[in-house]
Amino acid sequence: MVWCSRVLHRKYGNFVDNLRLYVRGGSGGMGLPRLGGQGGKGGDVWVVAKDGMTLKKIKDKYPQKRFVAGVGTNSGIRALKGDKGQDCEVYAPAGISVTTDDGKVIGELNQDGERVLVGQGGCGGSFATGFLPRKGQARQIRLDLKLIADVGLVGFPNAGKSSLLSLLSHARPQIASYPFTTLRPEIGKIMFEDYKQISVADLPGLIEGAHVNRGMGHKFLKHVERTKQLLFVVDLSGFQLSYKTPFRTAFEAVQLLMKELELYKEELMSKPALLAVNKMDLPDAEEKLKELVEQLQRPQDFAHLFPEGVVPRCTVHFNHIVPVSASSGYGIQELKKCIRNSLDEQATSQNEKDHREKLQELHKMKRTTEKSCRNFTAQVLPKL
């Protein structure tokens, strides 16, 4: 039994998506009262995004998880102005949200090279401080990783998400016939003939109540926030987690997934979404698919099937509904095509939106300039 637990730890313990660190800015240097010299400022602590870094690497390299910047040099006869202490840089992966222990967001790192100041150095001794230095800022911070991917797979356990990812990309997630085989996020790349790459994240399966952190709860849902689009995956034949839980049809599964996303963060409902209906190789699949599509077109007609409070207030509109079979490979190429088209449409729409915003800003600047010119003319010309 002990041996089994050690094996599981080795297998799933390599992924770290939350890390708590102690940071302290450097203290300032001593001032020199008799000559009015000013001590150097203490160094700062920065969290810097760097490609190839993971939270696991930080944890392994710095087991104490303490980061302290250098002390500012004292003022002296040869150098009245002390030098600043050496900064301390903590390299972290992109996709990090830096927060305090109480959850206040300090900053976010979304691209390589971005940095966030987390520990400010103390000022050096000067006339204003009686030539005594100040200590640097010290606190506990949290690095919270939220995966950045183009598409995030959303579904209940054993819906076939991992199997789909292995067919869509070169990723090799663990696949089995029992629920919760995905215990950590997996990211794969869809490669196209024109060398376009699309990243797809396979995330741990949801269960009812995930919004209040049941099951993998928040460990799953937080990763959905930074994906550009959502790919819902449902089992056409329905889903039942265990004999203690009710059986859910494919339509009920879709509605419950929407409700969990809505309860966790309503903004997720506005993300573009696709629906992959898996296990089309089963008997009567075409009839069940037709029934599902009809239900999705008129969800309000089937609200009576759910207990009060389970029906989502607003529903997700699917850009594409694609029938697939992860076991036979049916529909996989069509799904790749739909994912590509949906992302391209989103990019085009975003570019048009950015263009409109820039035009509006230019028009606003033009109106402001014209108004300033009229005011100048009205005030200055009569005096001439």
Side-chain angles (χ1 to χ4, degrees):
M1 190 68 184
V2 174
W3 176 83
C4 180
S5 66
R6 289 175 61 190
V7 170
L8 288 174
H9 176 73
R10 284 203 303 269
K11 197 163 193 177
Y12 301 118
N14 290 331
F15 183 77
V16 178
D17 61 1
N18 189 281
L19 202 58
R20 187 170 185 257
L21 308 176
Y22 172 80
V23 297
R24 189 178 75 221
S27 298
M30 289 288 294
L32 188 62
R34 63 192 178 93
L35 296 178
Q38 182 177 349
K41 179 183 178 297
D44 301 320
V45 183
W46 298 83
V47 179
V48 184
K50 184 178 181 181
D51 286 341
M53 282 301 297
T54 65
L55 296 185
K56 178 72 164 52
K57 289 182 180 179
I58 300 174
K59 183 179 178 182
D60 291 344
K61 189 174 181 180
Y62 306 99
Q64 300 298 323
K65 293 178 282 187
R66 290 173 59 89
F67 297 88
V68 181
V71 177
T73 59
N74 297 332
S75 173
I77 296 175
R78 293 187 178 181
L80 291 178
K81 172 68 174 176
D83 293 332
K84 180 185 176 183
Q86 185 174 3
D87 287 348
C88 175
E89 294 185 338
V90 184
Y91 293 108
I96 287 290
S97 178
V98 185
T99 66
T100 60
D101 257 353
D102 57 3
K104 182 181 178 182
V105 177
I106 302 172
E108 294 189 343
L109 303 174
N110 296 316
Q111 295 180 353
D112 183 42
E114 290 185 347
R115 53 177 50 217
V116 173
L117 178 64
V118 293
Q120 195 163 11
C123 62
S126 64
F127 179 80
T129 64
F131 298 99
L132 296 175
R134 294 287 185 262
K135 291 183 179 180
Q137 181 184 21
R139 59 179 169 178
Q140 302 279 355
I141 64 168
R142 290 186 180 275
L143 305 183
D144 195 25
L145 176 64
K146 297 177 182 178
L147 294 179
I148 299 177
D150 295 314
V151 179
L153 301 183
V154 179
F156 286 120
N158 216 29
K161 302 185 301 298
S162 299
S163 299
L164 276 182
L165 181 66
S166 66
L167 292 172
L168 290 170
S169 68
H170 296 293
R172 291 294 174 263
Q174 185 183 12
I175 300 170
S177 58
Y178 50 83
F180 297 116
T181 52
T182 302
L183 297 179
R184 62 178 184 179
E186 297 274 356
I187 292 186
K189 293 275 189 179
I190 304 178
M191 309 292 291
F192 293 89
E193 293 181 357
D194 60 354
Y195 303 105
K196 169 80 173 180
Q197 297 184 22
I198 292 176
S199 57
V200 181
D202 175 25
L203 306 167
L206 281 175
I207 64 171
E208 294 178 44
H211 67 280
V212 292
N213 211 20
R214 290 180 184 167
M216 301 298 284
H218 294 170
K219 284 182 73 68
F220 161 81
L221 288 167
K222 71 174 185 178
H223 292 300
V224 177
E225 295 180 43
R226 294 201 186 192
T227 57
K228 294 179 182 177
Q229 299 197 0
L230 303 178
L231 175 58
F232 286 66
V233 182
V234 296
D235 185 338
L236 184 61
S237 61
F239 168 74
Q240 186 175 20
L241 182 62
S242 71
Y243 71 93
K244 294 181 179 179
T245 59
F247 174 81
R248 301 297 188 185
T249 65
F251 173 69
E252 291 173 332
V254 173
Q255 299 300 304
L256 288 169
L257 287 171
M258 291 182 187
K259 188 63 179 179
E260 290 298 332
L261 294 178
E262 180 184 80
L263 291 173
Y264 175 72
K265 186 166 286 189
E266 199 165 347
E267 292 86 346
L268 295 175
M269 302 292 285
S270 62
K271 284 182 179 288
L274 304 89
L275 175 62
V277 184
N278 193 21
K279 304 187 181 180
M280 285 297 295
D281 52 306
L282 298 177
D284 303 324
E286 292 295 337
E287 293 180 9
K288 291 180 179 178
L289 176 64
K290 183 179 178 182
E291 180 184 359
L292 174 61
V293 172
E294 290 177 355
Q295 290 173 325
L296 291 173
Q297 289 174 345
R298 297 178 288 106
Q300 65 280 358
D301 294 346
F302 302 91
H304 64 278
L305 298 174
F306 302 92
E308 187 177 353
V310 175
V311 181
R313 289 196 301 271
C314 56
T315 57
V316 173
H317 170 72
F318 295 113
N319 295 340
H320 303 276
I321 298 177
V322 187
V324 298
S325 171
S327 62
S328 68
Y330 168 78
I332 298 301
Q333 293 304 318
E334 179 66 20
L335 181 58
K336 287 183 180 180
K337 179 181 175 182
C338 290
I339 292 173
R340 172 75 181 267
N341 290 342
S342 185
L343 285 168
D344 288 346
E345 290 168 5
Q346 183 183 12
T348 301
S349 176
Q350 185 62 45
N351 289 338
E352 291 175 353
K353 180 182 177 182
D354 293 342
H355 182 65
R356 286 195 300 270
E357 289 177 353
K358 287 180 180 179
L359 282 178
Q360 290 174 358
E361 188 175 345
L362 287 172
H363 289 318
K364 185 178 179 180
M365 290 174 62
K366 182 179 178 182
R367 288 194 298 269
T368 303
T369 304
E370 290 174 348
K371 184 178 179 180
S372 299
C373 290
R374 286 196 299 269
N375 292 338
F376 176 80
T377 302
Q379 292 175 10
V380 175
L381 286 184
K383 296 181 181 178
L384 297 176

PDB file of all heavy atoms in Angstrom, residues 272-293:
ATOM      1  N   PRO A 272     -16.122  32.063 -26.949  1.00  0.00           N
ATOM      2  CA  PRO A 272     -16.559  31.238 -28.080  1.00  0.00           C
ATOM      3  C   PRO A 272     -16.398  29.758 -27.736  1.00  0.00           C
ATOM      4  O   PRO A 272     -15.456  29.374 -27.039  1.00  0.00           O
ATOM      5  CB  PRO A 272     -15.594  31.649 -29.207  1.00  0.00           C
ATOM      6  CG  PRO A 272     -15.083  32.994 -28.810  1.00  0.00           C
ATOM      7  CD  PRO A 272     -15.035  32.987 -27.306  1.00  0.00           C
ATOM      8  N   ALA A 273     -17.333  28.943 -28.197  1.00  0.00           N
ATOM      9  CA  ALA A 273     -17.316  27.534 -27.805  1.00  0.00           C
ATOM     10  C   ALA A 273     -17.699  26.628 -28.968  1.00  0.00           C
ATOM     11  O   ALA A 273     -18.414  27.035 -29.896  1.00  0.00           O
ATOM     12  CB  ALA A 273     -18.258  27.302 -26.626  1.00  0.00           C
ATOM     13  N   LEU A 274     -17.197  25.394 -28.909  1.00  0.00           N
ATOM     14  CA  LEU A 274     -17.563  24.337 -29.841  1.00  0.00           C
ATOM     15  C   LEU A 274     -18.027  23.140 -29.018  1.00  0.00           C
ATOM     16  O   LEU A 274     -17.711  23.029 -27.828  1.00  0.00           O
ATOM     17  CB  LEU A 274     -16.382  23.927 -30.727  1.00  0.00           C
ATOM     18  CG  LEU A 274     -15.677  24.999 -31.570  1.00  0.00           C
ATOM     19  CD1 LEU A 274     -14.548  25.654 -30.794  1.00  0.00           C
ATOM     20  CD2 LEU A 274     -15.130  24.379 -32.848  1.00  0.00           C
ATOM     21  N   LEU A 275     -18.749  22.238 -29.655  1.00  0.00           N
ATOM     22  CA  LEU A 275     -19.222  21.039 -28.979  1.00  0.00           C
ATOM     23  C   LEU A 275     -18.814  19.810 -29.778  1.00  0.00           C
ATOM     24  O   LEU A 275     -19.150  19.689 -30.960  1.00  0.00           O
ATOM     25  CB  LEU A 275     -20.746  21.070 -28.818  1.00  0.00           C
ATOM     26  CG  LEU A 275     -21.387  19.803 -28.234  1.00  0.00           C
ATOM     27  CD1 LEU A 275     -20.892  19.534 -26.816  1.00  0.00           C
ATOM     28  CD2 LEU A 275     -22.915  19.911 -28.253  1.00  0.00           C
ATOM     29  N   ALA A 276     -18.061  18.917 -29.142  1.00  0.00           N
ATOM     30  CA  ALA A 276     -17.713  17.630 -29.748  1.00  0.00           C
ATOM     31  C   ALA A 276     -18.574  16.554 -29.093  1.00  0.00           C
ATOM     32  O   ALA A 276     -18.508  16.349 -27.878  1.00  0.00           O
ATOM     33  CB  ALA A 276     -16.233  17.325 -29.549  1.00  0.00           C
ATOM     34  N   VAL A 277     -19.386  15.891 -29.897  1.00  0.00           N
ATOM     35  CA  VAL A 277     -20.262  14.824 -29.401  1.00  0.00           C
ATOM     36  C   VAL A 277     -19.555  13.502 -29.661  1.00  0.00           C
ATOM     37  O   VAL A 277     -19.469  13.039 -30.800  1.00  0.00           O
ATOM     38  CB  VAL A 277     -21.634  14.867 -30.091  1.00  0.00           C
ATOM     39  CG1 VAL A 277     -22.561  13.815 -29.485  1.00  0.00           C
ATOM     40  CG2 VAL A 277     -22.260  16.249 -29.979  1.00  0.00           C
ATOM     41  N   ASN A 278     -19.033  12.899 -28.589  1.00  0.00           N
ATOM     42  CA  ASN A 278     -18.174  11.726 -28.729  1.00  0.00           C
ATOM     43  C   ASN A 278     -18.970  10.419 -28.713  1.00  0.00           C
ATOM     44  O   ASN A 278     -20.121  10.386 -28.318  1.00  0.00           O
ATOM     45  CB  ASN A 278     -17.140  11.734 -27.596  1.00  0.00           C
ATOM     46  CG  ASN A 278     -16.020  10.737 -27.831  1.00  0.00           C
ATOM     47  OD1 ASN A 278     -15.771  10.315 -28.961  1.00  0.00           O
ATOM     48  ND2 ASN A 278     -15.351  10.337 -26.769  1.00  0.00           N
ATOM     49  N   LYS A 279     -18.324   9.357 -29.148  1.00  0.00           N
ATOM     50  CA  LYS A 279     -18.826   7.968 -29.151  1.00  0.00           C
ATOM     51  C   LYS A 279     -19.940   7.783 -30.186  1.00  0.00           C
ATOM     52  O   LYS A 279     -20.976   7.172 -29.908  1.00  0.00           O
ATOM     53  CB  LYS A 279     -19.269   7.552 -27.749  1.00  0.00           C
ATOM     54  CG  LYS A 279     -18.136   7.712 -26.715  1.00  0.00           C
ATOM     55  CD  LYS A 279     -18.455   7.162 -25.365  1.00  0.00           C
ATOM     56  CE  LYS A 279     -17.279   7.401 -24.406  1.00  0.00           C
ATOM     57  NZ  LYS A 279     -17.535   6.892 -23.052  1.00  0.00           N
ATOM     58  N   MET A 280     -19.676   8.325 -31.382  1.00  0.00           N
ATOM     59  CA  MET A 280     -20.629   8.165 -32.483  1.00  0.00           C
ATOM     60  C   MET A 280     -20.596   6.763 -33.080  1.00  0.00           C
ATOM     61  O   MET A 280     -21.369   6.457 -33.984  1.00  0.00           O
ATOM     62  CB  MET A 280     -20.319   9.190 -33.581  1.00  0.00           C
ATOM     63  CG  MET A 280     -20.744  10.612 -33.265  1.00  0.00           C
ATOM     64  SD  MET A 280     -22.529  10.783 -33.074  1.00  0.00           S
ATOM     65  CE  MET A 280     -23.102  10.409 -34.736  1.00  0.00           C
ATOM     66  N   ASP A 281     -19.708   5.900 -32.582  1.00  0.00           N
ATOM     67  CA  ASP A 281     -19.630   4.528 -33.077  1.00  0.00           C
ATOM     68  C   ASP A 281     -20.639   3.614 -32.378  1.00  0.00           C
ATOM     69  O   ASP A 281     -20.774   2.438 -32.738  1.00  0.00           O
ATOM     70  CB  ASP A 281     -18.219   3.968 -32.853  1.00  0.00           C
ATOM     71  CG  ASP A 281     -17.760   4.143 -31.409  1.00  0.00           C
ATOM     72  OD1 ASP A 281     -17.798   5.288 -30.929  1.00  0.00           O
ATOM     73  OD2 ASP A 281     -17.378   3.134 -30.780  1.00  0.00           O
ATOM     74  N   LEU A 282     -21.363   4.142 -31.383  1.00  0.00           N
ATOM     75  CA  LEU A 282     -22.330   3.332 -30.646  1.00  0.00           C
ATOM     76  C   LEU A 282     -23.632   3.163 -31.447  1.00  0.00           C
ATOM     77  O   LEU A 282     -23.925   3.970 -32.338  1.00  0.00           O
ATOM     78  CB  LEU A 282     -22.639   3.987 -29.293  1.00  0.00           C
ATOM     79  CG  LEU A 282     -21.446   4.118 -28.329  1.00  0.00           C
ATOM     80  CD1 LEU A 282     -21.881   4.841 -27.064  1.00  0.00           C
ATOM     81  CD2 LEU A 282     -20.876   2.740 -27.999  1.00  0.00           C
ATOM     82  N   PRO A 283     -24.426   2.120 -31.137  1.00  0.00           N
ATOM     83  CA  PRO A 283     -25.709   1.915 -31.843  1.00  0.00           C
ATOM     84  C   PRO A 283     -26.661   3.101 -31.647  1.00  0.00           C
ATOM     85  O   PRO A 283     -26.649   3.745 -30.595  1.00  0.00           O
ATOM     86  CB  PRO A 283     -26.270   0.643 -31.185  1.00  0.00           C
ATOM     87  CG  PRO A 283     -25.075  -0.044 -30.596  1.00  0.00           C
ATOM     88  CD  PRO A 283     -24.127   1.026 -30.197  1.00  0.00           C
ATOM     89  N   ASP A 284     -27.473   3.380 -32.666  1.00  0.00           N
ATOM     90  CA  ASP A 284     -28.477   4.452 -32.629  1.00  0.00           C
ATOM     91  C   ASP A 284     -27.857   5.829 -32.404  1.00  0.00           C
ATOM     92  O   ASP A 284     -28.513   6.748 -31.897  1.00  0.00           O
ATOM     93  CB  ASP A 284     -29.531   4.202 -31.533  1.00  0.00           C
ATOM     94  CG  ASP A 284     -30.226   2.866 -31.692  1.00  0.00           C
ATOM     95  OD1 ASP A 284     -30.459   2.476 -32.857  1.00  0.00           O
ATOM     96  OD2 ASP A 284     -30.522   2.224 -30.679  1.00  0.00           O
ATOM     97  N   ALA A 285     -26.602   5.991 -32.797  1.00  0.00           N
ATOM     98  CA  ALA A 285     -25.898   7.256 -32.551  1.00  0.00           C
ATOM     99  C   ALA A 285     -26.527   8.404 -33.340  1.00  0.00           C
ATOM    100  O   ALA A 285     -26.681   9.516 -32.827  1.00  0.00           O
ATOM    101  CB  ALA A 285     -24.422   7.118 -32.910  1.00  0.00           C
ATOM    102  N   GLU A 286     -26.905   8.144 -34.581  1.00  0.00           N
ATOM    103  CA  GLU A 286     -27.460   9.213 -35.424  1.00  0.00           C
ATOM    104  C   GLU A 286     -28.758   9.751 -34.850  1.00  0.00           C
ATOM    105  O   GLU A 286     -28.995  10.968 -34.833  1.00  0.00           O
ATOM    106  CB  GLU A 286     -27.677   8.688 -36.856  1.00  0.00           C
ATOM    107  CG  GLU A 286     -26.391   8.374 -37.623  1.00  0.00           C
ATOM    108  CD  GLU A 286     -25.560   9.617 -37.869  1.00  0.00           C
ATOM    109  OE1 GLU A 286     -26.125  10.744 -37.867  1.00  0.00           O
ATOM    110  OE2 GLU A 286     -24.336   9.479 -38.075  1.00  0.00           O
ATOM    111  N   GLU A 287     -29.618   8.847 -34.365  1.00  0.00           N
ATOM    112  CA  GLU A 287     -30.894   9.284 -33.786  1.00  0.00           C
ATOM    113  C   GLU A 287     -30.667  10.097 -32.512  1.00  0.00           C
ATOM    114  O   GLU A 287     -31.310  11.129 -32.291  1.00  0.00           O
ATOM    115  CB  GLU A 287     -31.765   8.067 -33.478  1.00  0.00           C
ATOM    116  CG  GLU A 287     -32.228   7.309 -34.719  1.00  0.00           C
ATOM    117  CD  GLU A 287     -33.093   6.106 -34.358  1.00  0.00           C
ATOM    118  OE1 GLU A 287     -33.467   5.985 -33.158  1.00  0.00           O
ATOM    119  OE2 GLU A 287     -33.393   5.303 -35.252  1.00  0.00           O
ATOM    120  N   LYS A 288     -29.741   9.651 -31.677  1.00  0.00           N
ATOM    121  CA  LYS A 288     -29.443  10.367 -30.436  1.00  0.00           C
ATOM    122  C   LYS A 288     -28.830  11.741 -30.733  1.00  0.00           C
ATOM    123  O   LYS A 288     -29.112  12.722 -30.031  1.00  0.00           O
ATOM    124  CB  LYS A 288     -28.495   9.546 -29.573  1.00  0.00           C
ATOM    125  CG  LYS A 288     -29.121   8.286 -29.002  1.00  0.00           C
ATOM    126  CD  LYS A 288     -28.132   7.509 -28.145  1.00  0.00           C
ATOM    127  CE  LYS A 288     -28.774   6.249 -27.562  1.00  0.00           C
ATOM    128  NZ  LYS A 288     -27.799   5.456 -26.765  1.00  0.00           N
ATOM    129  N   LEU A 289     -27.988  11.814 -31.765  1.00  0.00           N
ATOM    130  CA  LEU A 289     -27.391  13.088 -32.144  1.00  0.00           C
ATOM    131  C   LEU A 289     -28.461  14.071 -32.621  1.00  0.00           C
ATOM    132  O   LEU A 289     -28.455  15.252 -32.239  1.00  0.00           O
ATOM    133  CB  LEU A 289     -26.344  12.877 -33.238  1.00  0.00           C
ATOM    134  CG  LEU A 289     -25.699  14.153 -33.803  1.00  0.00           C
ATOM    135  CD1 LEU A 289     -24.906  14.872 -32.719  1.00  0.00           C
ATOM    136  CD2 LEU A 289     -24.805  13.827 -35.000  1.00  0.00           C
ATOM    137  N   LYS A 290     -29.376  13.582 -33.443  1.00  0.00           N
ATOM    138  CA  LYS A 290     -30.462  14.431 -33.932  1.00  0.00           C
ATOM    139  C   LYS A 290     -31.301  14.962 -32.766  1.00  0.00           C
ATOM    140  O   LYS A 290     -31.666  16.144 -32.727  1.00  0.00           O
ATOM    141  CB  LYS A 290     -31.343  13.627 -34.892  1.00  0.00           C
ATOM    142  CG  LYS A 290     -32.465  14.435 -35.517  1.00  0.00           C
ATOM    143  CD  LYS A 290     -33.277  13.576 -36.488  1.00  0.00           C
ATOM    144  CE  LYS A 290     -34.426  14.375 -37.080  1.00  0.00           C
ATOM    145  NZ  LYS A 290     -35.249  13.531 -37.994  1.00  0.00           N
ATOM    146  N   GLU A 291     -31.585  14.090 -31.793  1.00  0.00           N
ATOM    147  CA  GLU A 291     -32.355  14.507 -30.617  1.00  0.00           C
ATOM    148  C   GLU A 291     -31.597  15.560 -29.813  1.00  0.00           C
ATOM    149  O   GLU A 291     -32.177  16.550 -29.352  1.00  0.00           O
ATOM    150  CB  GLU A 291     -32.648  13.280 -29.741  1.00  0.00           C
ATOM    151  CG  GLU A 291     -33.444  13.591 -28.482  1.00  0.00           C
ATOM    152  CD  GLU A 291     -33.633  12.366 -27.604  1.00  0.00           C
ATOM    153  OE1 GLU A 291     -33.150  11.274 -27.992  1.00  0.00           O
ATOM    154  OE2 GLU A 291     -34.242  12.499 -26.521  1.00  0.00           O
ATOM    155  N   LEU A 292     -30.282  15.376 -29.658  1.00  0.00           N
ATOM    156  CA  LEU A 292     -29.460  16.325 -28.906  1.00  0.00           C
ATOM    157  C   LEU A 292     -29.446  17.692 -29.573  1.00  0.00           C
ATOM    158  O   LEU A 292     -29.593  18.731 -28.898  1.00  0.00           O
ATOM    159  CB  LEU A 292     -28.036  15.783 -28.765  1.00  0.00           C
ATOM    160  CG  LEU A 292     -27.002  16.729 -28.129  1.00  0.00           C
ATOM    161  CD1 LEU A 292     -27.418  17.097 -26.711  1.00  0.00           C
ATOM    162  CD2 LEU A 292     -25.614  16.093 -28.152  1.00  0.00           C
ATOM    163  N   VAL A 293     -29.275  17.724 -30.883  1.00  0.00           N
ATOM    164  CA  VAL A 293     -29.238  19.001 -31.611  1.00  0.00           C
ATOM    165  C   VAL A 293     -30.568  19.737 -31.460  1.00  0.00           C
ATOM    166  O   VAL A 293     -30.594  20.959 -31.244  1.00  0.00           O
ATOM    167  CB  VAL A 293     -28.912  18.762 -33.101  1.00  0.00           C
ATOM    168  CG1 VAL A 293     -29.061  20.057 -33.901  1.00  0.00           C
ATOM    169  CG2 VAL A 293     -27.494  18.219 -33.256  1.00  0.00           C
TER     170      VAL A 293
END
